[in-house]
């Protein structure tokens, strides 16, 4: 059974930092595309970051959406079966429900048509609120 469980969300003032974690069971992270999504009230779900990383081969790639480049970093620890999203210099517009997801194929480019359909396992989400 595949399960994804997020933690690390909460409330922070603008300019602050949070680190989200997503513990994964039932999936070999090195063989999956892992992603972070977010959805703010009244807005569509947005892919924030993707990562494919095989620690045994020391190969992979990661990417984040332009609006968070230089502020957010996506990473994973295969041994701990955990996906991370380090969020620095947070802005009020980063306020959203953040969800981790896993897909069995190569990561599609962020923003590709029907991007979210590449992911078939989802966490329940965790709230991040940034106040000004």
């Amino acid at each position: 059974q595949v399960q994804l469980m997020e933690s690390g969300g909460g409330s922070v003032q603008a300019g602050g930092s949070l680190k989200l974690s997503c513990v994964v069971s039932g999936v070999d992270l090195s063989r999956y595309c892992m992603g972070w999504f977010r959805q703010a009230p009244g807005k569509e779900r947005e892919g924030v970051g993707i990562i494919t990383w095989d620690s045994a081969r020391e190969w992979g790639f990661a990417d984040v959406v332009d609006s968070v480049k230089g502020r957010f970093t996506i990473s994973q620890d295969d041994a701990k079966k955990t996906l991370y999203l380090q969020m620095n210099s947070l802005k009020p517009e980063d306020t959203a429900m953040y969800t981790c997801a896993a897909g069995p194929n190569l990561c599609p480019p962020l923003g590709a048509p029907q991007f979210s359909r590449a992911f078939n396992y989802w966490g329940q989400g965790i709230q991040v609120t940034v106040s000004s």
Side-chain angles (χ1 to χ4, degrees):
Q1 184 178 2
V2 179
Q3 290 186 327
L4 290 79
M5 180 68 71
E6 302 93 343
S7 63
S11 297
V12 64
Q13 289 191 326
S17 298
L18 286 172
K19 186 174 184 177
L20 302 184
S21 299
C22 173
V23 177
V24 184
S25 60
V27 165
D28 182 349
L29 268 66
S30 66
R31 296 180 181 274
Y32 272 67
C33 173
M34 303 301 299
W36 283 102
F37 290 77
R38 68 183 179 184
Q39 187 167 20
K43 294 188 177 181
E44 292 187 356
R45 183 169 56 192
E46 173 188 34
V48 177
I50 52 173
I51 184 169
T52 294
W53 180 252
D54 187 334
S55 58
R57 299 181 180 182
E58 295 187 348
W59 175 90
F61 71 91
D63 194 19
V64 294
V65 69
D66 286 348
S67 61
V68 306
K69 269 186 166 62
R71 301 189 297 121
F72 289 14
T73 303
I74 187 171
S75 63
Q76 70 182 46
D77 185 324
D78 290 355
K80 294 183 179 180
K81 299 182 74 68
T82 303
L83 174 72
Y84 301 102
L85 185 67
Q86 176 67 49
M87 305 185 294
N88 299 328
S89 302
L90 282 160
K91 304 176 180 179
E93 51 263 44
D94 295 318
T95 295
M97 181 72 73
Y98 285 73
T99 307
C100 60
N105 300 309
L106 290 176
C107 288
L110 281 165
Q114 302 181 340
F115 172 78
S116 63
R117 291 194 178 186
F119 299 85
N120 52 357
Y121 299 112
W122 296 82
Q124 292 193 332
I126 194 162
Q127 181 67 34
V128 171
T129 302
V130 185
S131 58
S132 57

